[in-house]
Amino acid sequence: MQKISLFFIITVLCFFRVSAQTKVDTLSLSFPAAEKIFLQNNLSLLAARYNVDVNKALIKQAKLWDNPVLTTDQNIYDGKFFQHNATAGQVYVQVMQLVRTAGKRNKAAQLAADNTTISQEQFDDLLRTLRYTLHNDLLEVSHLLKIKKVYTGEIDEVNKLSKGMDLLLQAGNVSVKDNLRIKALLFSLQNELVNTDAQLINIESEVKLLLNNNEQKFISPLFDYKFGDLTTVGIPDTSALLQQAIANRPDARLAQTALALQNHNLTYQKALAKPDISIGTEYDQRSSYANNYVGLAVSLPLNIFNKNQGNIAAAKFSIQQQQAVTDLTTERIKNEISNAASKFAFYQSVNNRQQLNFSQQYDTLFTNMLQSYQQRQLSLLEFIDFMDAYKDTKLKLLEQHNGLVHAAADLNYTVGNDVIKLD
């Protein structure tokens, strides 16, 4: 019995400690405000942005001409060191410039531009995923706060009853058994509230990581959507949603850009089969047939054996491979949209405005039942049964409501656009 009492005291102290932390130093944020902080402070996004800048710099590099090559040769010793005059000594100088043919520089720049676009799409996809995670976490915090409201409402009323029964117990008007039952009910509610607070701590930690927020403040989300409107809002058909997704989702654009990259790579590999020319001039002081010889130098490889056949064939296969990946991406997106739309329609059928009215009526019934018990019109057992039924019903309603809200968030994420406003 002493162990149970000690555990009860510790649980109650933990409850008041966590509750105090959530009531004091609270930062209320709407989702647009949280998203603004997220875009400015999230470290994963900041790191990914640099990858885009890296690839932009590579476009400039691909457009640059090759540097000219200087070759020189001169005598060091021919009886004397560094003897150079009208009758002795030898100097040879050559300057060559590589000229890339078949538009190789422009084609290489196009590949670099494709890679930059890919890195941008990868950044946008990371942004989309992290934004979705932030939105879901804030929705979950809002949901858990509603659950806390159910518990705290019951705890406040049962706590008042418990204090009143302590006075009645001292006066001998209630039994010890009934008094302990009320305390056990209070303990059970407080323990469940502690578990809810524990879940809040974990989600709050992830929210603060996404926002790069190190402040010791509880972040409380603010949402403006009307739940009743979510139960009746219409959505476009699957084909229209698919068109939006293909246009808006970074992973869809990424697949298309990767396919374009492979086509451009095939063009580039064909261009590599064309020989480049090195052209320049040379000066020979006295080793040629004439002293102070100045000549034109031209060199190019003879592509007799290596015509880049292997790379061209590999590029063709890469196009076919990426085409299959692109088609698979489109089918996957189509399946995800169909699933998300069906899930949202299902939760719409489960939730309705009648449920909201029922929830409000149930709250009124809760007050009436509390008064009935205080007036001794209900037995303690009937009152405890009602409290359990009230809590379970309210929590199930909140779970169904939460399912609809998250289904709307999933649909927005799948389409890549806010089809349903949840801000």
Side-chain angles (χ1 to χ4, degrees), residues 221-239:
L222 299 174
F223 290 101
D224 293 334
Y225 68 86
K226 300 295 186 294
F227 180 79
D229 296 339
L230 292 180
T231 62
T232 57
V233 66
I235 59 174
D237 57 32
T238 303
S239 60

Side-chain angles (χ1 to χ4, degrees), residues 20 111 122 161 226 258 343 367 391 395 418:
L111 291 178
Q122 290 172 337
L161 287 177
K226 300 295 186 294
K343 183 179 177 181
T367 303
K391 178 194 66 176
L395 294 181
D418 287 342

Side-chain angles (χ1 to χ4, degrees), residues 51-258:
N51 191 45
V52 177
D53 294 334
V54 167
N55 283 279
K56 286 181 179 179
L58 292 177
I59 296 177
K60 297 179 181 179
Q61 181 63 36
K63 293 180 179 180
L64 297 177
W65 280 72
D66 293 278
N67 291 322
V69 178
L70 170 65
T71 304
T72 182
D73 182 18
Q74 60 180 301
N75 65 296
I76 297 176
Y77 180 77
D78 58 355
K80 293 183 179 181
F81 285 100
F82 300 106
Q83 181 176 216
H84 294 92
N85 52 46
T87 60
Q90 158 65 2
V91 175
Y92 175 81
V93 178
Q94 182 187 60
V95 177
M96 297 293 290
Q97 174 65 53
L98 177 65
V99 179
R100 296 190 180 275
T101 61
K104 293 186 182 71
R105 282 193 308 110
N106 291 335
K107 291 177 175 62
Q110 179 61 60
L111 291 178
D114 289 340
N115 282 320
T116 301
T117 304
I118 287 175
S119 65
Q120 181 65 54
E121 298 299 348
Q122 290 172 337
F123 170 79
D124 291 342
D125 195 42
L126 174 64
L127 171 60
R128 166 177 168 263
T129 302
L130 292 179
R131 181 180 181 272
Y132 169 75
T133 302
L134 175 63
H135 202 179
N136 263 3
D137 284 348
L138 291 176
L139 287 172
E140 193 61 26
V141 170
S142 178
H143 172 62
L144 290 174
L145 290 177
K146 292 174 184 176
I147 292 177
K148 281 193 64 175
K149 188 176 180 181
V150 174
Y151 284 129
T152 53
E154 283 198 340
I155 287 171
D156 290 343
E157 297 300 334
V158 175
N159 194 40
K160 293 176 185 177
L161 287 177
S162 178
K163 292 179 180 178
M165 289 190 71
D166 287 340
L167 297 176
L168 293 175
L169 179 63
Q170 294 176 4
N173 294 328
V174 296
S175 66
V176 175
K177 179 181 178 182
D178 288 346
N179 188 36
L180 288 177
R181 279 186 175 180
I182 288 293
K183 282 183 167 52
L185 175 61
L186 178 61
F187 168 74
S188 176
L189 292 171
Q190 290 172 337
N191 186 60
E192 291 180 30
L193 180 56
V194 168
N195 293 333
T196 303
D197 280 323
Q199 295 179 53
L200 269 172
I201 290 173
N202 291 332
I203 299 177
E204 277 283 312
S205 175
E206 186 169 277
V207 169
K208 289 185 176 182
L209 178 62
L210 289 170
L211 299 181
N212 195 22
N213 185 314
N214 297 319
E215 297 181 9
Q216 298 298 318
K217 290 184 179 181
F218 181 84
I219 297 176
S220 178
L222 299 174
F223 290 101
D224 293 334
Y225 68 86
K226 300 295 186 294
F227 180 79
D229 296 339
L230 292 180
T231 62
T232 57
V233 66
I235 59 174
D237 57 32
T238 303
S239 60
L241 292 176
L242 178 60
Q243 291 178 358
Q244 290 188 46
I246 295 299
N248 296 324
R249 282 183 53 159
D251 55 342
R253 298 196 302 266
L254 179 61
Q256 293 292 340
T257 304

Side-chain angles (χ1 to χ4, degrees), residues 139-140 142-144 146-147 150 225-228 230-231 343-344 346-360 363 393-409 422:
L139 287 172
E140 193 61 26
S142 178
H143 172 62
L144 290 174
K146 292 174 184 176
I147 292 177
V150 174
Y225 68 86
K226 300 295 186 294
F227 180 79
L230 292 180
T231 62
K343 183 179 177 181
F344 180 72
F346 167 75
Y347 276 105
Q348 275 190 318
S349 67
V350 172
N351 294 272
N352 51 59
R353 292 182 182 272
Q354 288 75 20
Q355 281 189 347
L356 295 177
N357 296 332
F358 168 71
S359 180
Q360 294 170 356
D363 290 337
T393 302
K394 291 289 289 185
L395 294 181
K396 287 176 181 176
L397 285 172
L398 287 176
E399 285 298 328
Q400 290 182 0
H401 296 176
N402 190 49
L404 178 59
V405 173
H406 279 284
L422 287 176

Side-chain angles (χ1 to χ4, degrees), residues 229-287:
D229 296 339
L230 292 180
T231 62
T232 57
V233 66
I235 59 174
D237 57 32
T238 303
S239 60
L241 292 176
L242 178 60
Q243 291 178 358
Q244 290 188 46
I246 295 299
N248 296 324
R249 282 183 53 159
D251 55 342
R253 298 196 302 266
L254 179 61
Q256 293 292 340
T257 304
L259 181 59
L261 171 67
Q262 295 304 332
N263 281 288
H264 291 150
N265 181 54
L266 175 60
T267 303
Y268 179 65
Q269 294 301 329
K270 289 180 177 180
L272 289 179
K274 304 295 189 296
D276 295 330
I277 298 175
S278 294
I279 185 170
T281 185
E282 57 185 13
Y283 167 77
D284 193 326
Q285 184 180 19
R286 58 169 42 90
S287 69

